[in-house]
Amino acid sequence: MQINNSYIPQNKTTKADLKKQVNIAFSGIKFDPLKISDIFIKRTNPFNRGLNSLKNIRKGEFGTICKGSIPLKPFWKEFNATEHKKLKQIGISTNADGIPRSFLKSTAEKPLSTSFVHSCSVMYLYNKHTNTHFLYHASESVPKKELKYMVKNFMPEGCTHAIITPGDAYWADIHKISLPGIFDTIKETYPDTIINVCHMSSQYPEIVGYKGKLYEIPNRDVILQIGPHFEDYGQASFKISDIEGFNTIDKIKYDAYTKETTEKVKDYFYKKNWDNELKKVLFGIIDKKVKTIEAIENCKTFEDLKNIIEQLGDITNPEYYMAIHEKLKLFHKKPK
């Protein structure tokens, strides 16, 4: 490339002159290196931008993708050998069988993982203020009511960031239906949440949530196989904590129907070797239920009971049916 000599300065400038000019130009301005770094990270980190809606959901190379989705990075490449050892000790995995309605909650320093994500999707919620996170292996057929229940009850502190990862590309047509439901549920429950979508960068990976981001751990069995058709056997890189809907949500709903039985359910959770953040949530849900049961038991008149039933929305509500039934029997026994 030819340079026009008219742009070359004719007078020589010494290093001292340049230093003087810089000092003059920036005099009175106080630089904070941390703030400059924060601005750079905020602008360059795709997780800070988020999506306003989901568009062009389609089949990708490995998993389902959409417009603006971010490829998952390999988890272990982010850390050195010492950090590997520590994270392996404190991390938690769901069952390795891809059973839906599995979930985990903890402080954000503990990696949370799930695998065998095919027609299902992973919903990851993070709160940077409380440093807590929640990972949910969502079935493609999970009702929106239950999705909202999970978001609201298992992140009662709210969430600043959320990431959704749809499963295998073969099921892209299913994800076109299920993904918007997850996205809308998060947005409706916590409108200010920054929501992103991540897609798989390898065949059948294990999905890991850590400090507000999602990563993947390549499937060891797939790596050893010869394509083009691969088998997924699932994997768990951390200690398995098999927490599912049937032994948590359903147990509270159907087994805790009086104040006495709620204590038994609490005792069941106490004995489980589950993370304290998760137990805290479960005990909180039970305590709310106990208050409603007490309100039913303390009704003095049928009108009082009727008002509570109307608030619950359904007299056949399985969570409170027994308490309501027992109270109705007492009212019928009262002399006229």
Side-chain angles (χ1 to χ4, degrees):
M1 181 171 121
Q2 188 177 7
I3 299 174
N4 190 329
N5 289 333
S6 64
Y7 288 98
I8 301 175
Q10 301 302 313
N11 297 325
K12 290 185 178 180
T13 305
T14 65
K15 287 184 179 180
D17 292 333
L18 284 172
K19 188 175 181 180
K20 186 177 179 182
Q21 289 171 18
V22 170
N23 288 337
I24 292 169
F26 293 101
S27 61
I29 300 175
K30 185 179 180 181
F31 277 93
D32 186 341
L34 290 175
K35 288 181 180 177
I36 293 173
S37 174
D38 289 343
I39 292 169
F40 176 77
I41 291 169
K42 189 171 183 180
R43 286 180 177 175
T44 57
N45 186 353
F47 289 99
N48 287 325
R49 291 196 291 269
L51 301 174
N52 295 320
S53 61
L54 299 183
K55 297 178 182 178
N56 196 17
I57 300 171
R58 63 196 189 278
K59 182 178 180 178
E61 183 181 0
F62 300 108
T64 296
I65 64 175
C66 71
K67 183 179 179 181
S69 62
I70 304 165
L72 290 168
K73 290 184 178 180
F75 181 67
W76 293 120
K77 285 188 178 180
E78 299 287 310
F79 313 101
N80 60 37
T82 304
E83 290 170 317
H84 277 209
K85 187 177 180 181
K86 179 186 174 183
L87 292 172
K88 275 184 175 289
Q89 290 174 341
I90 64 175
I92 313 170
S93 296
T94 64
N95 59 78
D97 303 317
I99 298 173
R101 297 183 80 211
S102 298
F103 55 91
L104 300 163
K105 180 171 184 178
S106 185
T107 54
E109 283 85 7
K110 293 182 182 180
L112 306 178
S113 84
T114 193
S115 64
F116 210 96
V117 187
H118 290 257
S119 58
C120 298
S121 297
V122 175
M123 178 178 72
Y124 176 69
L125 309 177
Y126 167 70
N127 188 313
K128 68 177 181 180
H129 305 299
T130 58
N131 196 40
T132 50
H133 62 169
F134 172 72
L135 185 140
Y136 180 57
H137 191 125
S139 163
E140 71 279 4
S141 58
V142 60
K144 194 170 181 182
K145 184 178 179 181
E146 182 165 323
L147 266 176
K148 191 163 188 176
Y149 179 93
M150 299 304 295
V151 175
K152 189 175 180 180
N153 285 282
F154 285 88
M155 287 298 283
E157 65 272 40
C159 56
T160 55
H161 298 76
I163 305 172
I164 307 165
T165 292
D168 184 52
Y170 178 83
W171 303 93
D173 287 340
I174 296 293
H175 299 139
K176 286 179 184 178
I177 301 169
S178 60
L179 228 59
I182 300 174
F183 186 95
D184 293 343
T185 299
I186 299 168
K187 209 67 177 170
E188 289 166 12
T189 311
Y190 297 120
D192 296 329
T193 303
I194 297 171
I195 308 176
N196 282 287
V197 174
C198 285
H199 58 260
M200 298 173 176
S201 299
S202 63
Q203 192 76 54
Y204 308 146
E206 180 179 358
I207 311 298
V208 186
Y210 180 67
K211 291 186 177 180
K213 295 180 184 179
L214 275 186
Y215 302 86
E216 71 174 35
I217 297 175
N219 192 309
R220 293 183 296 271
D221 290 324
V222 168
I223 292 170
L224 296 173
Q225 294 174 36
I226 300 173
H229 303 293
F230 299 96
E231 290 290 332
D232 184 10
Y233 302 101
Q235 69 179 34
S237 297
F238 310 100
K239 177 187 70 178
I240 289 179
S241 192
D242 195 9
I243 301 163
E244 302 176 36
F246 85 91
N247 61 357
T248 53
I249 305 163
D250 295 346
K251 195 160 192 68
I252 294 172
K253 186 179 287 185
Y254 300 111
D255 293 352
Y257 48 86
T258 63
K259 283 193 289 186
E260 291 74 21
T261 53
T262 55
E263 287 303 316
K264 290 181 180 178
V265 173
K266 266 190 173 182
D267 187 56
Y268 170 83
F269 291 146
Y270 271 122
K271 292 175 181 176
K272 289 290 183 180
N273 188 24
W274 294 344
D275 190 272
N276 287 333
E277 286 292 333
L278 180 72
K279 285 186 177 181
K280 192 191 302 181
V281 170
L282 294 173
F283 294 145
I285 295 171
I286 292 174
D287 289 342
K288 285 180 184 177
K289 186 168 184 177
V290 168
K291 287 181 181 178
T292 304
I293 292 171
E294 286 177 342
I296 293 169
E297 292 177 349
N298 293 333
C299 286
K300 302 296 182 185
T301 66
F302 179 76
E303 284 300 317
D304 293 338
L305 181 61
K306 185 179 175 183
N307 289 334
I308 291 177
I309 292 171
E310 287 176 354
Q311 290 172 21
L312 294 174
D314 185 3
I315 193 170
T316 62
N317 187 316
E319 292 194 65
Y320 303 103
Y321 175 79
M322 187 60 72
I324 293 170
H325 181 69
E326 290 299 316
K327 197 65 184 180
L328 284 171
K329 282 201 304 186
L330 285 175
F331 284 143
H332 285 305
K333 283 181 180 178
K334 283 185 179 180
K336 294 182 181 179

